[in-house]
Every structure is written in structure tokens, then in C-alpha cells.
Amino acid sequence: MITTLVVLYAAKKRKTVQFQDFDKSVLLKMFPLPLLYVGNHITGLASTKKLSLPMFTVLRKFTILMTMILEIYILRKTFPKRLVYSVVAIIFGAMVAASSDLAFDVESYTFILLNDAFTAASGVYTKKKLGIEGLGKYGVLFYNSLIIVIPTLLASAFTGDLHKAVTFEDWVKATFICCFLMSCFMGFVLMYSIVLCSHYNSALTTTVVGAIKNVAVAFIGIFVGGDYLFSWTNFLGLSICMSGGLVYSYLTFNNETSGKNTEGTQELKIHIAEDLKEKYSAS
């Protein structure tokens, strides 16, 4: 969060980026995005701590369904049946994969489903806030971090996490400090990439593309990590998830390309009609 504030504030001072100055209206414009952001991180850390990485990525697929539902009710969007079917395939694959999980834990599954809900709500509201005048993608990033950084710091101090971080023994090692700072900067790059993807696409597309990446992580987790309990049912479920995600991506970007070609054809027809009109008028 601090890295985001420093980078964007410096860019604003150099007039590289633009977003409105802080006033009371910013709090109303941003609400409830900062709360969803914190809830997303807390439940995400809690769930991944108790679940194996492959099962974590599989159960995260329910974020897609929740995002679609929220976009329908909050953003008033409609989706073609083919896209809905591809989402259903992803969810079905997740259910098949999860059915073979021998390490079932009620607390872990509760946290992961809460994390799905927070992630879906955060993605949809990010898309909604991007359309607010004065904010834009840079304003959303900057004020989201600004509003929540102090409460998060106080919460970490209250839970004792801040003390553990301050007394961490590797702070004297240059290698650790370098890696830590790189991690902070890449965290900013990750958040900017997510917001940028939501800016140019729908919240659902951002979620599905992330899900495809997560399935790849799940496949890697089969061979790396040591906490994956292999079964053919789980492997089949992961494969269905990946197939559904790839179909969704193909349909989405194919539709966008077709839409652009149609718009270009219409513009060409308009220009031709205007040229002919001017020609006959001159005659």
C-alpha cells in the first residue's frame, strides 16, 4: 500500500498521471471498495494457510460465478448463453476436483468461500468506481491504499503481526531487504494490472483470466510443493476447469474482435455515404 502511495504521488507531482485531489467526496466515491480490499486479503491469507495450494486454486473458481451474479445485479450486465455455459463448465470442474479432497476442513472452506465473495465484490465495485468522474484507474488505486493503510497498520499492531515483522531477524541482510522491496513494488504492479484489466474488460473477464492462471498453478502444485493428494478425479476436474476457461477467453476476445470489425464497417459505410452526398451536392 505504501509503495502504491509513493509511486502514484510522485507520478502525480510530475504530472505523469492525473486524478482528483483528496476531499470529503473521495470517501463516498470509494466506499465500500477499501473494506472489500482488506476483507479479500485477510480471508485469502487465512484460507491459503489451511488449504493445499491446488485445492485453494480450485475452490477459488467459485469467484467466477459470484462475479457474474454481481455484475448482473450491480452493473446490470447480460451475458450470452455460450459464456454462461463456459462459466458453468469451470464451476463444474471445480466441484469435481473438490469432491476428491481428502483434507476437508470446514473452517478452511468457510474462509475460501468468504474470500471468493470478497474478491468478486471487489472486482465488480472496482469496475464501477473506474467510471466515476475524477477517480479513474490511478485515483482508485491511490485512494484505496490511502484510506485503508492506517487502519490496516493499527490492526496488525493489535494482532501482534507488526511486532513480529519489526523483530524479524533478517532485516539486517541486504538480500532480504532487496527481495522485500521488489516484492512490494511487484505488489503495486499486480494491483495496477488488475485495475487496468478491469478498465479495458469486464470484471468477469479479469476473474476468468486470473482463474486460468490459477489452474496452471494447480497443475504445477501436483509436482511441486508436496502437499497435493493426487487422484484422477481431482486431475479430471482441473482439466475441465482449464478447458472452460480457455473456451471463455476464446469467446470473449473473439466477440470483441468481431464487434470492432462491425464498428469499422459501419464507420466506413457512413464515410462513403457522406462522400457520395457531398459529391451529388457539388454536382
Side-chain angles (χ1 to χ4, degrees):
M1 295 178 197
I2 294 173
T3 303
T4 300
L5 293 173
V6 171
V7 171
L8 290 181
Y9 183 77
K12 181 177 171 63
K13 283 297 183 181
R14 293 176 60 88
K15 297 183 178 180
T16 306
V17 301
Q18 293 181 347
F19 52 88
Q20 76 171 76
D21 296 327
F22 181 80
D23 56 42
K24 293 181 180 179
S25 67
V26 170
L27 297 176
L28 294 176
K29 289 180 178 180
M30 290 297 298
F31 184 82
L33 191 57
L35 299 179
L36 297 173
Y37 176 78
V38 172
N40 183 25
H41 281 279
I42 292 174
T43 54
L45 290 171
S47 55
T48 193
K49 181 180 179 181
K50 295 178 178 292
L51 283 172
S52 67
L53 184 60
M55 283 312 305
F56 173 80
T57 56
V58 166
L59 293 174
R60 286 282 290 161
K61 302 301 170 293
F62 288 97
T63 302
I64 301 171
L65 179 61
M66 294 179 184
T67 302
M68 175 176 282
I69 294 172
L70 288 176
E71 280 200 318
I72 292 172
Y73 283 99
I74 295 176
L75 301 181
R76 304 298 178 186
K77 290 199 64 175
T78 57
F79 299 96
K81 288 185 178 180
R82 291 181 297 176
L83 285 182
V84 175
Y85 293 151
S86 65
V87 168
V88 170
I90 297 172
I91 302 301
F92 176 72
M95 294 177 66
V96 171
S99 66
S100 67
D101 184 15
L102 303 179
F104 179 81
D105 183 85
V106 175
E107 184 181 358
S108 302
Y109 277 49
T110 301
F111 272 116
I112 191 66
L113 291 176
L114 284 173
N115 185 231
D116 291 345
F118 277 117
T119 302
S122 180
V124 172
Y125 273 100
T126 296
K127 181 66 175 180
K128 185 176 182 180
K129 301 302 180 183
L130 287 171
I132 295 179
E133 184 179 356
L135 285 179
K137 51 184 179 291
Y138 301 112
V140 168
L141 275 173
F142 183 84
Y143 289 119
N144 185 54
S145 298
L146 181 64
I147 292 170
I148 211 66
V149 64
I150 300 300
T152 306
L153 192 64
L154 294 175
S156 64
F158 178 76
T159 58
D161 287 343
L162 182 62
H163 176 72
K164 293 178 182 178
V166 172
T167 57
F168 186 62
E169 59 184 12
D170 284 349
W171 281 115
V172 295
K173 297 182 180 179
T175 304
F176 169 76
I177 294 175
C178 180
C179 291
F180 177 78
L181 293 177
M182 288 177 62
S183 176
C184 292
F185 181 75
M186 291 309 296
F188 160 71
V189 173
L190 174 62
M191 291 304 301
Y192 176 70
S193 300
I194 293 173
V195 171
L196 192 66
C197 186
S198 297
H199 175 72
Y200 288 109
N201 304 286
S202 67
L204 182 62
T205 298
T206 302
T207 305
V208 171
V209 170
I212 296 174
K213 179 265 298 180
N214 288 337
V215 172
V217 172
F219 275 115
I220 295 172
I222 294 175
F223 306 101
V224 179
D227 60 350
Y228 178 76
L229 301 175
F230 180 83
S231 72
W232 284 108
T233 305
N234 187 273
F235 184 77
L236 176 63
L238 292 177
S239 301
I240 295 173
C241 280
M242 177 63 82
S243 301
L246 293 175
V247 170
Y248 177 93
S249 300
Y250 172 77
L251 293 175
T252 300
F253 294 110
N254 188 51
N255 288 340
E256 288 182 0
T257 303
S258 300
K260 290 179 181 178
N261 291 337
T262 303
E263 290 176 3
T265 303
Q266 290 176 346
E267 290 178 0
L268 180 60
K269 289 180 179 178
I270 291 172
H271 288 312
I272 292 174
E274 290 177 349
D275 291 341
L276 289 173
K277 186 178 180 180
E278 290 178 0
K279 182 177 180 180
Y280 285 119
S281 298
S283 308

